[in-house]
Amino acid sequence: MGSASSMLTQYDIELVQEHCNYLFGQQEIVCLYKRFCQLDRNAKGFISADEFLSVPEFAMNPISQRLIKMVDGLNFKDFVAFLSAFSAKATLPQKIESIHSLNPHTSAKFYILLVDF
């Protein structure tokens, strides 16, 4: 699952769904994986800050410099968990849990971002 050249198995998809509290369907996860692989240009299994900034909508976002500190180095599973925090389907506790599941250091940055914004 970590390499861009690998394909997602049904088991991988189910693990990712569980990790993001089933906020994304299987087809959505497949689409997210394709996008993740496009961003992971060197097939490292994670997305760097520069790769995130290659997305014009992300780079133009006024809080992108704050967000980039949180998303630098995310693997696919954590990439989906991060995105699930912005899902309209997610409740506030699910959003908080999604960010907290990344790691305590990242979640603390996100809480600060929410408070400062």
Side-chain angles (χ1 to χ4, degrees), residues 5-116:
S5 61
S6 67
M7 295 299 296
L8 285 176
T9 65
Q10 182 65 31
Y11 179 73
D12 292 332
I13 292 169
E14 291 170 6
L15 280 178
V16 172
Q17 278 187 298
E18 183 179 341
H19 189 65
C20 71
N21 295 314
Y22 299 92
L23 292 169
F24 295 112
Q26 292 189 7
Q27 192 57 41
E28 290 172 307
I29 289 173
V30 170
C31 290
L32 288 171
Y33 186 70
K34 288 177 184 176
R35 184 63 174 139
F36 178 87
C37 291
Q38 290 171 345
L39 291 171
D40 182 17
R41 292 183 293 246
N42 296 324
K44 302 172 303 297
F46 63 89
I47 303 175
S48 69
D50 289 338
E51 290 166 332
F52 270 105
L53 289 172
S54 73
V55 177
E57 297 84 357
F58 187 85
M60 292 176 11
N61 188 310
I63 61 170
S64 65
Q65 293 307 309
R66 288 181 169 183
L67 288 171
I68 204 66
K69 294 174 185 172
M70 294 173 38
V71 298
D72 187 26
L74 290 183
N75 63 28
F76 176 65
K77 197 165 105 173
D78 289 339
F79 173 74
V80 174
F82 176 77
L83 293 177
S84 71
F86 299 96
S87 170
K89 299 179 203 172
T91 63
L92 182 58
Q94 285 176 315
K95 291 175 184 213
I96 292 169
E97 182 183 334
S98 294
I99 295 301
H100 187 70
S101 72
L102 297 176
N103 68 49
H105 182 66
T106 301
S107 61
K109 289 180 187 177
F110 187 73
Y111 297 141
I112 290 168
L113 172 68
L114 287 176
V115 170
D116 285 350

